Amino acid sequence: MKRLACIAALGGLVLSADALAWGSDGHRAVGAIADQLIVGSRAQQQVAALLLPGESLEQVANWADCVKGSYCGPQTEEMQAYTAANPKHSEYHYTDVPFQETRYHDHAVGTAEDDIVQTLGQAIAVLRGKGDPQTNPHRFSPRQALLILTHLAGDIHQPLHVGAAYVGKDGGYALPLAAKQIDAVNMFDARGGNNLLLDDVKLGAASAQLIPARPAADGAGAATASAAAGAAGAKPRQLTRPFHSYWDSTVVDYAMRRVGARSPQQFAQIAIAAKPAVAANSGDPSGWPHQWADDALVAAKLAYADATPGKVAYQTSGKGEVYQVWALGVPDNYPVASSAIAKEQLIKGGYHLAALLQSIWP
C-alpha cells in the first residue's frame, strides 16, 4: 500500500491536489451535494458545531488530502497534530480488493486494518459517540472524524480506490486468492492502477472530439483559469497518464463539462435538480462503508472492462528503484463511458454522505 511513492515515481510526476483521490473538484462536489441535502436538518446544526465559522462540507472536503503536503498551502497546527498522531494516514484513503471480486470482506486479499473501509467505520463510531479504544484506535476527535468522513465518503466512491488490478506474467489481469500469490514474478500489483499507463496524447485527442469544453468562468474565476492555463502551457506535454490519475481527476473534469458546470457547487445544484435515483443504504450505519465498497467494486469492473494492459516494461524511480509498468489500451470512446460512471459515483458519494450524517443526527 505505497501508492504515493509510486505516483511520485511514475514519469517524475509532481504531486498536486488533483493527483490524489477524486481531485479537488470531485471532493468539493461530493461535499457540496451533502451541504445542500442536509439544509434545515439537525445534521446541519451538528455539522456546523464541529466546523469552524465559515466552513462547509464542500470547503473541508479536501482537508484529508491537504495534510499530505503543501499543495493546499502551509500546514496548519491542526494538520501537523493529525499527521503526527496518524503516521499511516495516507493509507486511510483506499483499499486494494481485486476488482473482479463482488464484495469487500474484512481481512481478505488487498484489505488492511487501516484501509478506507475500516477508517470510515472508526469515524462513524466517533460521531455516534461510540469512540472507545477498540472502535477508535486512532483516537480521532469528533471534528477529525467529520473531516475524515467527508473526504473518505468521496474516496470510497472512486472505483479505483476500492477495486485494484493485479497483472499476471502473461500481461492479462489476474485474480489473487491469497496475498502470497502477488509475488512480483508470476503476479504483479499494479498499485491501484498507478502502474497502468494511458497514452495521454491519444486520450486528449479523443476527448477533444467527444467532451464539450468547460463553460468559461467569469470574474476572478476567469483570471485564475487563465493563469493556470498559462502555467500548464509552460510545462512539457505529459505523454502518459497513470490510470489511477485519470480516474482521480480527468474524469471529474469530463463529468463537469458534460453537464455544463463551472464549479463543484454548480455541479451539485445540477445533480440535485435532476432528482437522481440513488439507492438507500440498509441496516446499521456502521456497515454502510462495506456497502459503499461493494458498490465501488461494481463500478471498478466497468472501469477496467475495456482497459487492456499490454506487455510489461520497466522504469526506474528517482531513488533507483526499478518497477513494472504496462501500457494500457482503451477504446476511443472511453472518455464518454468513464465520465458517465464518474458522474454517477460523485452523486452517490454526496447523497450517501448526507444520508449518513442524517442517520447519525436524526
Side-chain angles (χ1 to χ4, degrees), residues 3-362:
R3 291 193 185 176
L4 290 181
C6 186
I7 297 173
L10 287 171
L13 295 178
V14 176
L15 286 175
S16 69
D18 283 343
L20 304 166
W22 269 127
S24 176
D25 280 355
H27 279 291
R28 287 178 57 202
V30 170
I33 290 172
D35 277 330
Q36 295 178 37
L37 291 176
I38 66 173
V39 168
S41 67
R42 180 167 176 261
Q44 183 188 30
Q45 297 173 353
Q46 295 298 315
V47 166
L50 292 174
L51 297 180
L52 301 178
E55 287 183 338
S56 65
L57 295 175
E58 177 191 351
Q59 291 169 331
V60 303
N62 285 292
W63 186 90
D65 269 349
C66 291
V67 302
K68 298 175 182 176
S70 58
Y71 2 92
C72 305
Q75 295 284 291
T76 65
E77 290 185 7
E78 180 182 40
M79 291 177 175
Q80 292 172 357
Y82 171 77
T83 56
N86 293 274
K88 293 185 177 182
H89 64 89
S90 64
E91 297 181 8
Y92 300 169
H93 296 246
Y94 58 89
T95 190
D96 286 319
V97 177
F99 75 84
Q100 300 95 326
E101 298 286 5
T102 58
R103 301 283 300 275
Y104 173 100
H105 293 286
D106 294 345
H107 312 298
V109 174
T111 67
E113 294 301 323
D114 290 318
D115 72 14
I116 190 170
V117 174
Q118 305 303 322
T119 304
L120 274 167
Q122 294 168 30
I124 292 170
V126 172
L127 293 175
R128 299 176 80 189
K130 301 179 180 181
D132 56 47
Q134 182 176 358
T135 59
N136 183 26
H138 300 301
R139 300 181 181 179
F140 296 144
S141 68
R143 173 174 164 81
Q144 288 175 337
L146 178 62
L147 297 175
I148 294 165
L149 171 62
T150 302
H151 184 84
L152 298 190
D155 277 352
I156 200 168
H157 288 84
Q158 203 273 51
L160 271 62
H161 271 248
V162 176
Y166 298 88
V167 183
K169 63 180 180 180
D170 61 354
Y173 294 125
L175 174 60
L177 302 179
K180 64 182 180 180
Q181 291 181 287
I182 310 166
D183 57 4
V185 176
N186 296 300
M187 189 182 300
F188 302 85
D189 182 357
R191 301 293 181 186
N194 282 307
N195 290 15
L196 302 175
L197 304 182
L198 294 164
D199 183 330
D200 202 43
V201 176
K202 181 180 179 181
L203 193 66
S207 66
Q209 300 297 319
L210 299 168
I211 308 294
R214 179 178 284 199
D218 43 48
T224 301
S226 177
K235 298 177 182 178
R237 177 63 188 266
Q238 185 174 310
L239 299 180
T240 61
R241 178 175 296 276
F243 196 45
H244 191 102
S245 173
Y246 173 84
W247 274 95
D248 275 349
S249 55
T250 306
V251 288
V252 176
D253 176 58
Y254 292 167
M256 292 183 64
R257 284 159 55 181
R258 291 186 68 188
V259 300
R262 292 182 173 86
S263 67
Q265 190 173 70
Q266 189 175 33
F267 177 88
Q269 293 168 347
I270 292 170
I272 293 172
K275 298 181 179 180
V278 178
N281 293 116
S282 59
D284 190 86
S286 63
W288 290 9
H290 287 73
Q291 296 176 37
W292 297 347
D294 293 347
D295 179 76
L297 285 170
V298 175
K301 288 177 179 60
L302 297 175
Y304 280 105
D306 293 319
T308 306
K311 292 183 178 179
V312 66
Y314 297 88
Q315 293 188 3
T316 304
S317 71
K319 295 182 178 180
E321 177 188 359
V322 178
Y323 57 94
Q324 298 84 9
V325 296
W326 295 263
L328 194 68
V330 295
D332 288 343
N333 69 341
Y334 196 76
V336 174
S338 58
S339 59
I341 297 170
K343 174 188 172 184
E344 181 178 1
Q345 293 302 109
L346 288 167
I347 293 172
K348 285 180 182 178
Y351 270 78
H352 287 162
L353 173 59
L356 179 58
L357 294 172
Q358 290 175 311
S359 176
I360 293 171
W361 296 300

